[in-house]
Each structure stands twice: as C-alpha cells, then as structure tokens.
Amino acid sequence: MVFALVGLVVLALLGAVHRYVWRRFVGDTTAPGSRLRRAGTVAAFVLPLLSVGAMTSGRVGAPFWLQQVLAWPGFLWLACLLYLTLALLVGEVVRPVLLRVLARRDAARTGAGSGTPSGTPTETSGTPTEAPDGTRPRTEELVTSGSAGVSAPSEAVARTASDASGPVAEPEPEPAATTPAPALAPLPSRRLFVSRVVGGAAAAAGLATVGYGTYGVLRGPSVKRITVPLAKLPRAAHGFRIAVVSDIHIGPILGRAHTRRIVDTINATSPDLVAVVGDLVDGSVADLGSAAEPLAALRARHGSYFVTGNHEYFSGAEQWIDHVRELGLVPLENARVEIEGFDLAGVNDIAGETEGQGPDFGRALGDRDRGRAAVLMAHQPVVIHDAVEHGVDLQLSGHTHGGQLWPGNYLAELANPTVAGLERYGDTQLFVSRGAGAWGPPVRVGAPSDITVVELASRQA
C-alpha cells in the first residue's frame, strides 16, 4: 500500500513537471496549431513513456534488444528533464527582470519620439503604442489610419468654400482606387520575446550540462590516489596498494567497451590487489555475461576480489557470483582471507536479506586475530557501525555514486553516513568511492566517476 502511494505521488510529480516544461518551452513560445507546437506536444507525451519503458523493461523481462532501444532515449530524457527544469526555475527569476527592463526601454523611446516626457499621454504624437494584446503596430499602419482620419474634415472645408463663391463646379471623377498594401504581421510582444529568450537560454544550459555529463561517463573513470594510515599495519605491508572500483553498472547502455576501459585503467596503476565492491551489473548473466568478460584480464599481485551490491540481487546474484569466479575474481561471501600484513574480509549486501543472503559480520570477522589490521569490503556505507563494532580498521564501500547528478548529493547525504571520500568513525576509517559507471542516465554532474588507488601506510614505517 505504501509503495503504491509513493508510486502515485512520483507519477503525479512527473506529470506536473512535464506540464511545466511543456508550457515554458512550447506553450509560451509557439503559436496555437503551429507545427512546432504539435511536435512539442507529441514529444511531451512520448519522452516520458520512453523513460517509463527504460526503467521497467528489465524488471518485466523484456528482450535485451528492446531494453537497449529504450535505455538511451528514456534514461537520457530523465537527465534532460532534471536540468531543463532547474534552468527554467532560474529563468523564473530572470523573466520579470527582463520584462521590466524592456518596458522601461520602450517607454523611453515613446517619450523621445513624441517630444514629450516619457509616460505623458498624447493624442497627436502618432507614436506607436503597444496594443492590448502586447503587440506593437507597424508604422505603415499608423500612417494609413492617420490619412483616413483627416480626409473627411478636408472635404467639408472645401465644400463650404465652394458654396460661398458661387456655382458649384462639376466634381472631377475620383481616381481609381488603388489596391492597399498587404498588412504586415505585428511585432512579437515583450512577453513572447522574453519567453523565447529565457526558453532558449534554459534549453542551451540544460542540454549542455547533460552533454558534458554524458561525455564524462563514456570517456571512462579517472584515477584518484589516497594514503590511509593503519595503526596495526606492519612495516612489511607499508605502501600496499588496493585499486578500489565500485558501481561499474554493466547494462543496456554501458557494455563490453565500458568494462574494457575500466580494466585497462586499473591495470595501468599496477595495484597489489583489486577490490570490486558491488553493483557490477544491471541485468542477467545471459544478457551481460559477455560484456563482463574483460574482467578476466585484471592483473594484481594478490588477486581480485568481489562482493555483491544491491543491484546483483535484482540481476540473479548466485549466477553472477559463479560467473565472476569463472572470470578469475574471488567472491567474498561473508568471508575473510589473510593477505600479506592484514586481513581482507567481505560481506554480502544488505539487499541479500530478502533472499536469506544478507551480511554476516560474525561469520566474516568473528574469530579473527584482532591484533592484525582488517580491511572490509562492503557495498553500502550504512554498515559502518557494524564494522566499528567488529574492530575493522578500514571499510571500502561504494553505492552512493557521490550523488551522480547534482543536487542528488544532498539526497544521498540523507541516506548515507558518507557520500564520497574518506572519513573516520571511532577507530574505523570509511572510504566511499563515487563509482566507475552510472545507473539510469549515463550522465554524471558534480560527481565524476573514478577508480581509487588506496595506499596503506604503516605507522611503524
């Protein structure tokens, strides 16, 4: 019941936002019945339908080719909708200012043209004034109307003079009527002009933001490096380098080429160990198994390790665990291994609780030697308090994407103790990666994708 209500609220909000965007970009800037208005109206119905299809096609088991067809336009439109709406909201502040400036400019021109102070009413100046509908008549129309207005009095004066002087001469035949010049279309009103300027600027800003954010994702993640001192780390393990990658999100949009870019970037850092901390895929092994195959080329002295994220449990976690094992990665399912100088543990994601496969910290960390440093791989940062309780020295997480789309980082802060970077909780340090891919729209704004090389430092060195 709660989910149904939330769904209705979300649909109502999306409908209201689309209505607002249509009004500002189409209704306020195009003529009724014009081709542009018809095209804009069709787009206002088709684009949200594509977005709904992109979000639901995988869940309902649609063919993978259909998921790919819907994913690009459907997800990209969601990002465009966000930044077009934000740009229009900024435009709402600018709109009344522009209208006021243009009104004052026109008032000043009117005053200068009539020879009277601006704002002084006059009946004979002949200065163009704005019509009730906000349009300004052409000068030719004013001249024509002015000539017609003085013809009748002139004829009356001539007739009076003729009566006083004597017999009236036969009137000469009037010249043939000439065809009037076609009336020119009125100039755009101030309101229409401002709507088009603000709408054009908002479209340029919103689409440029999405374009740049898309380029950042398709280009691939950058490499960050941080040093993390651990009190229990022996001198022999000083300088041990862990390449941390999360949220790769192989799916209908980011496929095999995306995986290959990430693998090449990781291998170029020559890490001692690779930690893949969840959300590897958005789809089944049948659809995406080949796209994940480049992971078999990962190279690290102490191997590559993997823990599940919440998206694995939407995609067949057991099948993916088996598949990454075939590719040479070691899944840590609530398990621990001893590495040179420290313990490396991993727990399942909390989304696995629905399948009876949730995190088990006792199993992963309960019987270990607490005199050794412990590094924990856990997809979601929210389990940090369990890590503190079990004496973990460093937790490696992802999940947040750093917010992915600004201002989404503010929402991510409400649900996660740390959104990105390194923070300390008691004796435990938590590092959260922004991730190497993107979920939904292949766009990142204010949260660039990254792979982080975490270098462990011994206080004894």
Side-chain angles (χ1 to χ4, degrees):
M1 183 64 180
V2 175
F3 290 106
L5 290 176
V6 171
L8 289 175
V9 170
V10 171
L11 288 176
L13 180 61
L14 284 175
V17 171
H18 277 89
R19 170 65 181 173
Y20 168 70
V21 169
W22 177 89
R23 177 188 169 197
R24 286 308 192 199
F25 281 125
V26 181
D28 290 351
T29 62
T30 61
S34 66
R35 291 183 179 179
L36 283 177
R37 175 164 292 196
R38 288 197 295 268
T41 302
V42 170
F45 283 95
V46 172
L47 290 171
L49 291 178
L50 289 173
S51 296
V52 172
M55 291 186 291
T56 60
S57 58
R59 302 291 179 89
V60 300
F64 189 64
W65 66 265
L66 180 59
Q67 296 178 41
Q68 291 177 303
V69 168
L70 294 172
W72 270 106
F75 283 126
L76 272 180
W77 171 243
L78 290 177
C80 290
L81 180 66
L82 171 62
Y83 290 106
L84 290 174
T85 302
L86 291 176
L88 285 174
L89 291 176
V90 173
E92 298 298 344
V93 179
V94 178
R95 186 185 303 272
V97 176
L98 285 178
L99 286 170
R100 201 172 299 118
V101 168
L102 292 176
R104 289 177 179 175
R105 185 196 66 179
D106 288 351
R109 287 181 176 178
T110 300
S114 63
T116 60
S118 62
T120 303
T122 176
E123 297 179 359
T124 61
S125 64
T127 302
T129 58
E130 194 168 271
D133 64 352
T135 61
R136 289 173 288 179
R138 299 283 186 178
T139 304
E140 292 85 347
E141 295 172 352
L142 292 170
V143 172
T144 303
S145 62
S147 300
V150 299
S151 61
S154 299
E155 292 177 2
V157 172
R159 190 180 299 110
T160 303
S162 176
D163 291 343
S165 61
V168 179
E170 289 293 329
E172 297 181 1
E174 295 184 1
T178 58
T179 304
L184 298 177
L187 293 172
S189 69
R190 283 195 298 267
R191 189 170 300 279
L192 177 59
F193 174 75
V194 168
S195 293
R196 288 176 174 174
V197 169
V198 172
L207 296 178
T209 300
V210 173
Y212 181 76
T214 304
Y215 168 74
V217 171
L218 299 182
R219 178 186 55 191
S222 59
V223 175
K224 294 174 56 180
R225 298 176 185 272
I226 63 170
T227 300
V228 181
L230 299 181
K232 301 175 187 176
L233 190 72
R235 181 180 298 180
H238 179 75
F240 192 98
R241 288 170 294 116
I242 304 174
V244 181
V245 59
S246 73
D247 301 279
I248 297 175
H249 285 289
I250 303 169
I253 293 178
L254 302 175
R256 188 183 181 95
H258 173 64
T259 311
R260 170 56 62 188
R261 280 191 296 269
I262 291 171
V263 169
D264 290 344
T265 302
I266 292 174
N267 288 344
T269 68
S270 300
D272 296 307
L273 183 147
V274 177
V276 182
V277 287
D279 277 8
L280 173 64
V281 293
D282 285 308
S284 66
V285 172
D287 291 333
L288 298 173
S290 61
E293 287 177 357
L295 293 173
L298 284 171
R299 296 290 179 263
R301 186 160 58 99
H302 290 275
S304 301
Y305 294 84
F306 168 78
V307 293
T308 56
N310 54 308
H311 282 249
E312 271 71 60
Y313 293 97
F314 306 147
S315 308
E318 291 186 8
Q319 291 82 3
W320 275 112
I321 290 170
D322 291 339
H323 190 62
V324 297
R325 186 180 286 111
E326 293 171 0
L327 296 175
L329 282 75
V330 179
L332 292 177
E333 301 179 81
N334 298 321
R336 180 181 76 253
V337 294
E338 291 187 2
I339 305 294
E340 181 182 301
F342 65 94
D343 293 337
L344 178 69
V347 292
N348 296 344
D349 186 70
I350 57 179
E353 292 175 348
T354 59
E355 301 179 11
Q357 298 293 329
D360 188 337
F361 289 87
R363 179 179 166 190
L365 297 161
D367 58 349
R368 74 179 192 88
D369 179 5
R370 290 209 175 194
R372 288 170 55 86
V375 176
L376 173 67
M377 295 169 57
H379 178 62
Q380 298 197 39
V382 293
V383 301
I384 181 60
H385 303 295
D386 295 288
V388 172
E389 181 181 342
H390 286 83
V392 170
D393 297 277
L394 173 64
Q395 176 178 320
L396 304 174
S397 296
H399 182 64
T400 67
H401 296 211
Q404 184 168 330
L405 297 171
W406 183 91
N409 55 302
Y410 297 111
L411 295 176
E413 288 175 358
L414 299 176
N416 297 277
T418 297
V419 173
L422 183 68
E423 291 186 354
R424 178 177 288 276
Y425 295 83
D427 294 331
T428 303
Q429 297 179 79
L430 168 64
F431 173 74
V432 180
S433 169
R434 289 191 177 96
W439 179 79
V443 183
R444 280 178 173 265
V445 177
S449 58
D450 63 55
I451 294 166
T452 303
V453 177
V454 176
E455 183 171 331
L456 304 182
S458 171
R459 297 188 185 276
Q460 304 170 21

